[in-house]
Amino acid sequence: MKKVATRFAPSPTGPLHIGGIRTALFNWLYSRNKSGEFYLRIEDTDKERSKDEHKTQIINSLKWMGITHDGEEYIQSEKIDEHVKIAKELLEKGYAYKCYCSAEEIEEQKKRAKQKKIPYVYDRKWRDISEDEAPKNIKPVLRFKSKIEGSSILKDLVQGDVEIENKTIEDFVILRNDGTPTYNLSASVDDYYMNMTHIIRGDDHKINTFKQIQIYEALGWDIPFFAHIPLIHTINGKKLSKRDHASTLEDYSKIGILPEALRNYLLRLGWSYKDKEIFDLEESIKYFNLEGIGKSPSKLDMSRILSMNEYYIKNCEENSLYEKFREYCDIYKDKIKKEKEYSIKSSLIFLKNKAKTLEDIFNNSKYILNDTVTFNESDKNLINDEAKKIINLFKENILELNVFDRRNLEEIVNKLIKSNNTNFKGIGQPLRISLTGSRFGPGIYDIILSLGKDEVVKRLSDIG
RNA sequence: GGUCCCUUCGUCUAUCGGUUAGGACACAUGGUUUUCAUCCAUGAAAGAGGGGUUCGAUUCCCCUAGGGACCGCCA
């Protein structure tokens, strides 16, 4: 049994979106599950559209998700010579031929096909014409001589047997007229040289697979296993594209989604293991298999991502949650000031129970992060003279406190409830508003303790 | 239009011929609570339609409908 090897092969012609990330995740998980290898191959042979910034974005995205590849990144454009060599070999062996059709001629064929409402397939014109008749002014492309008779069966590890008539596969171009290789050739050659055992990729590659298998066969190479996973659809049921809202990783990281939450969500999107919903990293690797992959496309569901994230935040130990939060603020908000660090850190225990995202934590901790209180106007209006009186009484009481702790604070509050003939709300609400600017927020004792006596007195004095 | 794929609650899914069709998210209601949340309980919610096969079909087969992917000298 050969050692399992998988790869993720994105093209840097646009930012990597969440569908690509899932493909990468599945490949990675599969290889890890089999104690195999996982490689990253950058398919940058489209010189026009490939951009370095996208390559960087792809690599950073994978890194953020914790998907690590073995060895160096494989840069496809560096291997073009190999691909051309194989193309020549195919020509010599009679598996390919030069096609002298002009671009106009091909356009014409396509137009006609469209008019007649019949599918366009290259008419294989030059397949059997002698090269002696070739026009001198046209640089030929190299086409693969596809099978015409019979049909082929793809034994897909997800979809089962897929049968297709060979004649529906056209004689596809393997070398452009500028001598550069095209995708199907390059991908096949690379996969072969990289010793790939399993090709796990999006459903949209299925036709390519039939082409690539023919190349393998022509060269006498062992054919790897293929698994075509269903695509992720938008809420409108269409293939997810780079242009769709909330499709790149950055769209998620900037609102404070944790990579482990997204990983768990993506894992369960189109894959399942019994009724299990939560998979930590170890479990993901342990349970992942191809059998659990569903056949139908699935839609992205933001509320599910959010609730998964909420779960991971709640179950994250405070110190490591602080690190994540600090990093998040560094990148997307303001750096946390040194003197606020302790206070934030010790508040996470209650802050995290109110948060679905790191951004929620940020919003709920603004009263600590900022030195001045920003009031919600309608909330501020709730502070009437009666409320001010209580605020002042409370302030006087804590001023006399030697030990500033929860028990003593509770005692004061209870005393004030009695002496002022009010209820908890009558005290808690004005305090919360004057300390945080809003009537919504963490528990009042949590707020007071996280701010510290001096700051509390200062803020109460400002309003009272 | 051609080829191929798909179809269980709104969403993600379990079920591998016999179940009151299960879970999770979202939603609704109630409870706990110190506001907002959390948490807990309860509820509503699904086999696209039609034929077969079978003692019995969500499950196997066929047809129809709906949805999707591909149809580049892009990857």
Side-chain angles (χ1 to χ4, degrees):
Chain A
M1 210 38 195
K2 260 206 282 187
K3 188 174 191 181
V4 166
T6 64
R7 78 332 188 247
F8 177 55
S11 70
T13 53
L16 186 57
H17 62 71
I18 203 161
I21 292 285
R22 189 185 61 155
T23 303
L25 178 68
F26 282 15
N27 274 285
W28 180 69
L29 251 20
Y30 187 72
S31 75
R32 288 293 176 264
N33 174 272
K34 301 288 183 201
S35 306
E37 286 160 346
F38 170 75
Y39 295 95
L40 174 63
R41 182 169 80 222
I42 304 291
E43 304 208 326
D44 58 345
T45 51
D46 183 342
K47 284 158 287 179
E48 304 272 297
R49 297 194 302 150
S50 291
K51 296 255 163 35
D52 255 11
E53 55 172 297
H54 295 135
K55 185 178 142 193
T56 309
Q57 188 266 356
I58 290 168
I59 290 171
N60 286 342
S61 294
L62 294 173
K63 196 185 281 174
W64 187 78
M65 281 295 283
I67 298 175
T68 53
H69 58 269
D70 295 302
E72 292 295 303
E73 285 134 31
Y74 187 105
I75 307 297
Q76 190 166 60
S77 58
E78 293 171 0
K79 309 287 178 180
I80 285 181
D81 291 350
E82 313 277 337
H83 307 157
V84 173
K85 221 172 89 191
I86 295 296
K88 295 273 158 65
E89 189 182 332
L90 287 168
L91 179 64
E92 279 162 26
K93 289 186 173 169
Y95 286 105
Y97 62 93
K98 290 177 181 171
C99 162
Y100 289 89
C101 287
S102 65
E104 294 76 43
E105 213 174 332
I106 298 286
E107 268 318 302
E108 188 56 34
Q109 282 188 35
K110 283 187 189 172
K111 230 166 89 186
R112 238 179 297 143
K114 207 166 185 180
Q115 273 172 3
K116 286 205 219 151
K117 293 201 172 211
I118 53 168
Y120 164 72
V121 270
Y122 170 66
D123 63 6
R124 309 182 207 256
K125 179 175 164 190
W126 288 90
R127 186 166 167 132
D128 301 311
I129 302 181
S130 153
E131 258 190 60
D132 303 341
E133 298 176 38
K136 291 280 175 293
N137 59 334
I138 286 185
K139 280 207 287 186
V141 298
L142 205 58
R143 284 184 186 270
F144 185 83
K145 210 180 269 184
S146 284
K147 291 182 190 166
I148 297 176
E149 302 296 325
S151 60
S152 300
I153 294 176
L154 164 65
K155 291 189 178 307
D156 193 281
L157 263 24
V158 168
Q159 313 215 348
D161 290 359
V162 182
E163 185 170 5
I164 194 170
E165 280 190 72
N166 288 326
K167 66 176 183 217
T168 59
I169 307 284
E170 67 168 346
D171 288 353
F172 54 97
V173 174
I174 54 177
L175 234 43
R176 301 183 184 94
N177 68 3
D178 65 359
T180 59
T182 61
Y183 168 73
N184 281 302
L185 204 234
S186 296
S188 310
V189 174
D190 284 343
D191 284 334
Y192 173 72
Y193 282 136
M194 290 169 79
N195 289 309
M196 292 298 108
T197 60
H198 297 255
I199 312 288
I200 303 168
R201 68 204 335 183
D203 201 14
D204 49 347
H205 278 288
K206 210 155 44 191
I207 293 295
N208 290 327
T209 299
F210 283 97
K211 296 177 180 174
Q212 292 171 205
I213 286 176
Q214 292 202 47
I215 294 178
Y216 274 83
E217 286 175 344
L219 268 356
W221 294 345
D222 282 347
I223 299 168
F225 293 103
F226 289 92
H228 290 93
I229 62 180
L231 301 175
I232 296 180
H233 281 178
T234 64
I235 209 72
N236 303 318
K238 296 269 189 277
K239 175 181 169 181
L240 196 66
S241 93
K242 302 162 181 57
R243 280 170 297 283
D244 283 306
H245 177 66
S247 69
T248 67
L249 240 38
E250 163 115 88
D251 293 325
Y252 296 92
S253 63
K254 77 178 174 209
I255 59 167
I257 299 291
L258 267 25
E260 49 271 45
L262 198 60
R263 190 210 69 233
N264 196 149
Y265 172 77
L266 253 19
L267 172 65
R268 281 286 288 102
L269 192 66
W271 177 85
S272 63
Y273 178 79
K274 299 179 181 168
D275 271 346
K276 196 168 164 59
E277 300 284 347
I278 303 295
F279 294 82
D280 64 30
L281 189 54
E282 236 173 86
E283 292 172 321
S284 303
I285 294 170
K286 184 174 163 197
Y287 294 119
F288 187 78
N289 56 15
L290 265 18
E291 294 76 46
I293 299 177
K295 289 184 168 191
S296 51
S298 35
K299 293 180 184 137
L300 224 42
D301 179 4
M302 195 58 197
S303 70
R304 196 68 180 284
I305 296 176
L306 250 18
S307 90
M308 190 61 83
N309 203 52
E310 184 179 14
Y311 174 88
Y312 275 90
I313 284 181
K314 282 196 173 57
N315 288 281
C316 187
E317 186 272 328
E318 285 80 40
N319 282 316
S320 90
L321 182 59
Y322 179 75
E323 281 312 305
K324 294 174 200 294
F325 181 61
R326 189 185 50 76
E327 206 173 296
Y328 172 77
C329 290
D330 274 5
I331 299 171
Y332 297 108
K333 308 288 179 190
D334 294 324
K335 240 180 155 62
I336 299 173
K337 292 191 205 107
K338 198 94 193 117
E339 67 267 26
K340 307 284 187 188
E341 233 174 71
Y342 175 77
S343 183
I344 293 287
K345 217 181 251 187
S346 50
S347 302
L348 247 20
I349 185 87
F350 60 85
L351 248 19
K352 73 177 185 179
N353 281 326
K354 304 173 65 65
K356 279 183 156 64
T357 62
L358 294 177
E359 189 168 48
D360 288 345
I361 295 183
F362 173 77
N363 287 330
N364 283 321
S365 61
K366 272 183 181 161
Y367 77 96
I368 301 174
L369 259 8
N370 298 339
D371 291 320
T372 53
V373 180
T374 312
F375 287 96
N376 173 307
E377 279 312 309
S378 64
D379 286 351
K380 196 178 183 182
N381 290 337
L382 292 170
I383 299 189
N384 51 23
D385 289 345
E386 175 68 14
K388 279 186 185 173
K389 195 185 95 189
I390 287 185
I391 288 169
N392 281 319
L393 282 171
F394 182 81
K395 190 179 72 184
E396 282 162 25
N397 274 279
I398 61 169
L399 240 15
E400 288 164 20
L401 233 41
N402 289 323
V403 182
F404 194 72
D405 65 2
R406 189 181 180 109
R407 223 186 56 142
N408 285 331
L409 290 170
E410 278 176 11
E411 207 169 287
I412 294 173
V413 168
N414 288 332
K415 197 177 78 185
L416 291 178
I417 288 174
K418 254 184 210 156
S419 62
N420 286 273
N421 194 25
T422 181
N423 55 17
F424 190 93
K425 192 182 172 190
I427 296 175
Q429 191 174 71
L431 283 180
R432 183 177 287 107
I433 294 170
S434 30
L435 294 175
T436 70
S438 164
R439 81 196 139 103
F440 307 132
I444 191 63
Y445 299 120
D446 287 332
I447 294 173
I448 293 172
L449 262 8
S450 64
L451 249 18
K453 187 170 170 179
D454 294 347
E455 184 65 22
V456 169
V457 170
K458 184 180 151 264
R459 291 187 185 188
L460 293 183
S461 305
D462 286 348
I463 200 142

